[in-house]
C-alpha cells in the first residue's frame, strides 16, 4: 500500500504533465483536420518546450518569477489530490473542498506573475479570466454540492469508489442533471473556444502570457496543459467513474490493475477532451459578458434544478 | 486579577492622555507598555478555573461582577494581542495628526471597554462596558472630521437602537428573575416559555446584529470603516464588530444553552435556521458589493460585512464543528483584516489616496508591504496553508454533511466574490506601471512594518498548524456542551473526510523546490524595466500604461442592477419620512406671537365648548 502511494506521488504528476502536453498537441491536429489543414505533429508542444527552456527571456522582477513557479507548483500539487486512475496518493485527505481551493493557486499565481509584467493586455486577460471563472464557478459549485450531497461525503476518492460499485454518476438518477450542466460548462472551464476570452490571441495577444518568453512561456505552457488535464480529470472522476469500467467487467488486482486503471482513466480523459475540441473548432469566440450571460442562464439553471432535486430526494 | 486588568486598561487610558500633554514619545511607549502588561496578565489566566468576582458591590443596589471562562479568555486574549499590534502601528501613523492625545485616550478606552465586555460576569456590567466601547468608537470614527462626521453619526444612531434593545432585554430579564448574573440566568431561562425566549433572543439579536453588521443592520459599517483612521479601522473590523459575535455566543449558548437555542421551531422555520439564512445573505450580497467599490478601504469594509456573515453562520448553524469554525474564523479575521487595514492605511499615508483607480505599481517601491498584503489577501480568500482556509473548510464540511447544500452554496459563492475583490485590491495597488508621482514613495518605518509582519507570520503559521488554535476552541465548544472534536496539530481527523495541512505543506514545498530548480537551471534571464513590454511594436507610453479603472467592467454591467443596497434605500426612506414628520410638527412653531395667541384662544374656545357640554346649537 505504501509502495502504491509512493508510486502515485511520483507518477500522477508525470502522467498529468505528459497528458496535458499531448492533449494540446492532439487538439492542434484535430482542429487542423476540421479546417482541412494537415497540422503540426502531435509532439510539437514537447519540441517547443525543449526549445523554450534554452532561450534567454526578459524578466520583470521577483514576483514575475515566483508567481509563475507557485502557479505551476500549485497545479502539480492539485494533481496529487486528484485520483488518476487508481493512483490516488493524497486524495483521501481534504477531498473536493480542498480541490476547490487548491485550484485557485494556479490561476492566481499566474495572475500575480503577469501583474508585475506591467502590461495592460495581462490585466485585461486576468480580469476576463476572473470574470469567466465566476461565471462557471457558480454552476460548478452547484454541481459539486449535488455530488457531495448525493454521496454524503466530501471526499472525491469516496465518490469514485461509490461509482465503481453503483455505476457512473452521469448515467444515474438524479446526478444526470448536474452531469449535463457540467458538460455545458466544461469548455469554459478548459478555456477553449468559444470561451477563450482570457487568452484571446488575436485580440489581446494571449492575455496573461503576453510578457512571457523562454522558460517563462515553457512553464506557463506546462501549467496550461496541466490545468486542462485537471479540468477534465475532475469531470471524469466525478461523473464517468474514474478508473471503473461499465458492466460486469472488473479490473484485476495488483500492479496490472493499477496500470489498466490509469489507461482506462486516460482513455476517458482523451474522449472528453476530443468532445471539447470539436466544440472549440466549430464556434467563434464570445465576448466575456456574453459568456457570463450564457453560463448563468441554462447551465446554472440546470445545476440549480439538479441541486434542488438531489437535496429533496 | 480580573479587576487588575480593567484598572490597568482604564487607568492606562487616562494616564496616557495626561502623559501626552507632557511628552508624546513617553505616551506612546506607556500605552504600549500598558497593553503588553494586559496581554501578559490575560495570557496568564489561560485555562484557569471559571471564577466570578464582584468588583463593585451595590451599584444601585446591585452587585457588578467579573467572570472568566474559556470563551471569554479566548476573546479577551485576542483583543489584547491585536490591541498591542495596533498601538505599535499607530506610533508612526498618527504622527502629524492633530489631537493625538485624544486619539490614544479613545483607542485605549475602546480596547479597555472590549476587555470589560469579554470579562463581564453579569449583563449590567456588560451593558456598561458595551456603552463605553460604543461611545468612544463614535468619537474615533468621526476623528478625521469632514466626511467622517456623517459616518459617525450614522453609526451612533444604529448603535443607540441596538443599545436600547439590549437595555430592554436586560431590564426584562431582571424584572422576571431578579438577577442578571450570567451563571444564574442560564438556570432560569431553561424553564422559561418559548415565546419569552424568542422575545429576549430577538432583542439581543438586534443589539448584537447591529454591532456585527448582519444584514439588515449593516448599513453603518461601510462608511464608518472607511472614514475612521486606519489603526482604528483595524480595531473596528478585527475586534469591535466581533464583540457582537461574542454577545451572540454568550446569549445563545452560554445563557440560554444549546438545547433552548436549537429547539425553537422546526425545520427551516426554526430560529437558528432563519439566522443562518440571514447570515448566508450577509455573505453573498456584501461580498459582491465589495467587488464594485473603487475605494480600497470601502472594499475592505464591505468585505468585513461578508466575513462577519461566515462567522455568524458558524455561530448560528448549531453544530459543534460549525461553532468551532465560527470562532476560528473570528480569530483569523482579526488577523488578516487588521493586517489589510494597516497595509491599506500605510498606502494611503504614503500616496495620500486610497482610490483604486489612482494607485498602481507600488510593488517596485514597497516590496515588503506587497508581501504582507498578499499574505493577508490569501488568508481572506482562504488559500490553503493560510488560516482562512481551515476555518472555511470546517464550515463548508459541516454545512454539506448536515444536508444544507444551499447555505454551503452561499458561503462558497461568497468566496468567489472574495477572490475577485482581493485580487483587484492587490493588482490595482501594487501592479501595473509605477506612475511618475509615486516614484519617490519611500519604504516605511520599522514600527509600521512590525505589526504587519507579525500578523502575516501568524496567518501562515496558524494556516499550517491550525491545531494550536483549534485546541483552545475545542475547550470552548466542549464547555458549551458540544462533543469534542478530534483535534490534531494539522487539523481535525474524522471519518467523513480530513484535511491534513502538513501533507499540503510538504507537497507544495517539495514540488515548489523542484519547479524552482527547473527554473533556475534553464537559461538565464535579463531584468528589464517596466517600459520594456509588448505593445505590438508601438512605443510604450510612460507612467499610465495600466489597466486599472473599471477592472471588472463587463461583470459590473451584469451584476450592478441586482446589488443595489435596498436596505440602505429603505432606511433612507425612513429617515426622509421622519424628516417630513418633524418638519410638519415644527411648522406649529411659527415664531409669531400672534399665532401663539391664536393657539391659546383656540384652545380656550375648545375648552369652553367642552365645558358648555358640547352643545353648540
Amino acid at each position: 500500500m505504501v509502495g502504491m502511494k509512493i508510486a502515485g506521488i511520483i507518477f500522477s504528476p508525470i502522467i498529468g504533465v505528459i497528458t496535458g502536453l499531448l492533449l494540446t498537441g492532439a487538439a492542434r491536429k484535430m482542429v487542423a483536420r476540421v479546417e482541412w489543414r494537415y497540422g503540426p505533429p502531435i509532439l510539437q508542444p514537447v519540441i517547443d518546450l525543449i526549445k523554450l527552456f534554452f532561450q534567454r527571456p526578459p524578466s520583470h522582477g521577483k514576483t514575475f518569477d515566483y508567481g509563475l513557479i507557485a502557479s505551476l507548483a500549485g497545479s502539480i500539487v492539485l494533481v496529487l489530490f486528484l485520483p488518476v486512475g487508481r493512483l490516488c496518493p493524497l486524495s483521501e485527505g481534504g477531498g473536493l473542498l480542498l480541490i476547490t481551493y487548491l485550484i485557485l493557486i494556479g490561476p492566481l499565481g499566474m495572475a500575480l506573475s503577469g501583474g508585475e509584467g506591467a502590461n495592460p493586455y495581462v490585466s485585461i486577460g486576468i480580469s476576463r479570466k476572473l470574470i469567466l471563472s465566476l461565471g462557471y464557478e457558480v454552476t460548478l459549485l452547484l454541481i459539486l454540492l449535488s455530488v457531495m450531497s448525493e454521496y454524503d461525503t466530501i471526499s472525491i476518492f469516496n465518490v469514485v469508489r461509490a461509482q465503481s460499485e453503483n455505476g457512473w454518476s452521469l448515467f444515474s438518477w438524479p446526478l444526470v442533471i448536474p452531469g449535463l450542466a457540467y458538460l455545458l460548462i466544461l469548455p469554459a472551464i478548459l478555456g477553449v473556444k468559444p470561451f477563450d476570452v482570457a487568452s484571446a490571441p488575436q485580440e489581446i495577444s494571449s492575455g496573461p502570457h503576453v510578457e512571457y518568453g523562454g522558460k517563462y512561456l515553457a512553464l506557463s505552457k506546462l501549467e496550461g496543459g496541466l490545468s486542462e488535464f485537471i479540468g477534465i480529470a475532475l469531470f471524469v472522476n466525478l461523473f464517468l467513474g474514474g478508473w471503473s469500467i461499465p458492466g460486469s467487467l472488473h479490473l484485476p488486482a495488483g500492479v496490472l490493475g493499477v496500470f489498466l486503471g490509469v489507461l482506462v482513466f486516460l482513455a476517458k480523459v482523451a474522449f472528453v477532451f476530443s468532445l471539447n475540441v470539436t466544440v472549440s473548432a466549430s464556434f467563434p469566440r464570445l465576448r466575456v459578458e456574453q459568456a457570463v450571460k450564457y453560463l448563468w442562464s441554462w447551465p446554472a439553471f440546470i445545476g440549480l434544478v439538479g441541486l434542488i432535486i438531489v437535496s429533496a430526494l | 486579577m480580573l479587576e487588575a486588568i480593567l484598572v490597568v486598561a482604564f487607568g492606562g487610558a487616562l494616564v496616557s492622555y495626561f502623559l501626552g500633554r507632557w511628552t508624546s514619545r513617553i505616551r506612546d511607549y506607556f500605552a504600549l507598555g500598558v497593553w503588553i502588561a494586559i496581554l501578559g496578565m490575560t495570557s496568564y489566566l489561560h485555562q484557569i478555573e471559571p471564577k466570578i468576582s464582584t468588583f463593585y458591590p451595590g451599584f444601585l443596589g446591585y452587585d457588578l461582577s467579573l467572570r472568566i471562562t474559556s470563551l471569554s479568555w479566548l476573546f479577551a486574549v485576542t483583543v489584547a494581542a491585536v490591541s498591542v499590534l495596533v498601538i505599535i502601528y499607530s506610533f508612526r501613523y498618527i504622527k502629524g495628526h492633530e489631537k493625538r492625545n485624544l486619539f490614544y485616550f479613545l483607542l485605549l478606552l475602546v480596547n479597555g471597554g472590549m476587555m470589560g465586555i469579554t470579562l463581564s460576569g453579569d449583563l449590567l456590567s456588560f451593558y456598561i462596558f458595551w456603552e463605553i466601547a460604543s461611545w468612544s468608537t463614535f468619537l474615533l470614527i468621526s476623528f478625521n472630521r469632514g466626511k467622517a462626521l456623517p459616518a459617525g453619526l450614522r453609526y451612533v444612531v444604529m448603535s443607540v437602537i441596538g443599545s436600547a434593545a439590549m437595555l430592554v432585554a436586560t431590564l426584562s430579564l431582571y424584572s422576571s428573575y431578579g438577577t442578571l448574573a450570567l451563571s444564574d440566568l442560564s438556570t432560569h431561562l431553561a424553564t422559561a416559555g418559548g415565546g419569552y425566549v424568542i422575545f429576549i433572543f430577538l432583542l439581543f439579536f438586534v443589539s448584537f446584529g447591529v454591532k456585527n453588521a448582519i444584514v439588515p443592520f449593516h448599513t453603518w459599517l461601510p462608511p464608518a470603516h472607511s472614514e475612521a483612521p486606519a489603526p482604528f479601522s483595524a480595531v473596528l473590523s478585527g475586534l469591535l464588530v466581533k464583540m457582537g459575535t461574542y454577545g451572540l455566543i454568550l446569549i445563545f449558548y452560554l445563557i440560554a444553552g444549546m438545547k433552548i437555542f436549537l429547539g425553537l421551531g422546526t425545520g427551516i422555520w426554526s430560529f437558528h435556521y432563519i439566522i443562518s439564512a440571514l447570515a448566508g445573505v450577509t455573505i453573498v450580497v456584501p461580498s459582491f458589493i465589495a467587488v464594485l467599490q473603487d475605494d480600497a478601504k470601502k472594499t475592505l469594509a464591505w468585505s468585513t460585512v461578508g466575513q462577519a456573515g461566515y462567522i455568524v453562520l458558524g455561530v448560528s448553524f448549531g453544530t459543534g464543528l460549525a461553532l468551532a469554525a465560527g470562532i476560528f474564523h473570528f480569530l483569523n479575521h482579526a488577523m488578516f483584516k487588521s493586517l489589510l487595514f494597516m497595509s491599506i492605511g500605510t498606502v494611503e499615508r504614503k500616496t495620500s489616496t486610497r482610490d483604486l483607480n489612482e494607485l498602481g505599481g507600488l510593488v517596485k517601491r514597497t516590496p515588503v508591504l506587497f508581501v504582507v498584503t498578499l499574505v493577508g489577501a490569501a488568508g481572506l480568500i482562504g488559500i490553503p496553508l493560510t488560516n482562512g482556509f481551515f476555518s472555511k473548510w470546517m464550515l463548508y464540511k459541516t454545512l454539506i454533511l448536515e444536508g444544507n447544500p444551499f447555505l454551503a452554496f452561499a458561503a462558497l459563492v461568497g468566496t468567489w466574490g472574495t477572490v475577485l475583490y482581493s485580487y483587484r485590491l492587490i493588482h490595482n495597488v501594487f501592479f501595473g506601471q509605477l506612475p511618475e508621482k509615486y516614484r519617490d514613495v519611500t519604504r516605511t518605518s520599522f514600527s509600521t512594518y512590525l505589526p504587519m509582519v507579525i500578523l502575516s507570520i501568524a496567518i501562515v503559521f496558524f494556516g499550517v498548524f491550525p491545531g494550536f488554535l483549534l485546541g483552545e476552541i475545542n475547550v470552548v465548544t466542549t464547555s458549551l456542551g458540544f462533543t469534542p472534536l478530534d483535534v490534531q496539530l494539522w487539523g481535525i481527523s474524522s471519518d467523513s473526510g480530513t484535511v491534513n495541512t502538513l501533507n499540503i505543506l510538504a507537497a507544495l514545498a517539495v514540488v515548489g523546490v523542484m519547479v524552482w530548480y527547473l527554473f533556475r537551471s534553464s537559461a538565464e534571464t535579463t531584468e528589464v524595466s517596466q517600459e520594456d513590454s509588448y505593445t505590438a511594436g508601438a512605443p510604450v507610453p510612460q507612467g499610465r500604461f495600466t489597466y486599472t479603472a473599471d477592472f471588472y467592467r463587463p461583470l459590473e454591467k451584469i451584476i450592478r442592477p441586482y446589488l443595489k443596497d435596498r436596505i440602505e434605500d429603505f432606511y433612507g426612506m425612513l429617515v426622509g419620512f421622519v424628516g417630513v414628520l418633524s418638519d410638519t410638527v415644527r411648522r406649529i412653531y411659527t415664531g409669531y406671537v400672534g399665532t401663539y395667541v391664536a393657539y391659546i384662544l383656540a384652545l380656550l374656545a375648545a375648552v369652553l365648548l367642552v365645558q358648555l357640554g358640547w352643545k353648540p346649537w
Side-chain angles (χ1 to χ4, degrees), chain A residues 52-63 65-66 68-70 72-74 76-77 80-81 90 92-95 97-98 100-105 108 111-124 126-128 130-131 133-134 136-139 141-142 145-146 148-149 152-155 158 205 210-211 215-216 219 222 287-290 292-293 296 304 307-308 311, chain B residues 288 310 363-364 370 374 381-384 388-389 392-393 396-397 400-406 408-413 415-417 419-420 423-424 426-427 430-434 495-500 503-504 507-509 511-513 515-516 518-536 545-548 550-559:
Chain A
L52 286 171
F53 271 115
F54 288 99
Q55 287 179 343
R56 298 191 54 152
S59 161
H60 280 275
K62 286 275 177 285
T63 318
D65 302 355
Y66 287 101
L68 191 56
I69 292 173
L72 181 57
I76 293 177
V77 167
L80 292 175
F81 285 87
L90 299 176
E92 289 94 338
L97 290 174
L98 179 62
T100 55
Y101 274 87
L102 273 178
I103 221 164
L104 291 171
I105 296 182
L108 281 184
L112 291 177
S113 161
E116 206 183 12
N119 192 318
Y121 289 136
V122 176
S123 306
I124 294 172
I126 294 164
S127 151
R128 288 182 177 185
L130 285 170
I131 294 171
S133 305
L134 179 66
Y136 64 71
E137 280 292 333
V138 170
T139 312
L141 291 172
L142 287 169
L145 287 169
S146 309
M148 286 190 271
S149 304
D152 201 22
T153 179
I154 56 166
S155 157
N158 289 347
S205 311
V210 62
E211 286 297 312
K215 59 186 173 186
Y216 297 94
L219 292 184
L222 277 176
R287 291 217 316 257
V288 65
E289 55 261 50
Q290 292 169 331
V292 171
K293 272 184 186 148
W296 284 354
L304 189 65
L307 185 56
I308 289 171
S311 58
Chain B
F288 282 95
Y310 286 95
V363 65
K364 301 277 186 208
F370 164 68
L374 184 61
I381 296 172
I383 302 286
F389 166 69
K392 286 187 182 175
W393 181 84
Y396 300 147
K397 181 180 165 184
I400 292 165
L401 294 183
E402 295 297 319
N404 268 295
F406 289 99
F409 178 65
L412 281 161
V413 166
T415 300
W416 268 93
V419 172
L420 260 69
Y423 183 74
R424 185 185 177 206
I426 297 272
H427 176 275
F430 292 104
F431 291 148
Q433 280 197 354
L434 183 68
D495 304 331
S496 50
T498 50
V499 57
N500 188 333
N503 271 352
I504 308 173
L508 206 58
V511 174
V513 167
V515 175
W516 176 78
L518 176 70
F519 179 82
R520 273 294 299 275
S521 56
S522 46
E524 273 182 32
T525 59
T526 38
E527 191 100 359
V528 296
S529 78
Q530 63 173 6
E531 276 80 25
D532 192 348
S533 60
Y534 174 84
T535 51
F545 190 46
T546 307
Y547 178 76
T548 50
D550 288 336
F551 195 68
Y552 293 127
R553 188 186 186 137
L555 182 70
E556 258 187 72
K557 276 197 280 189
I558 302 174
I559 64 172

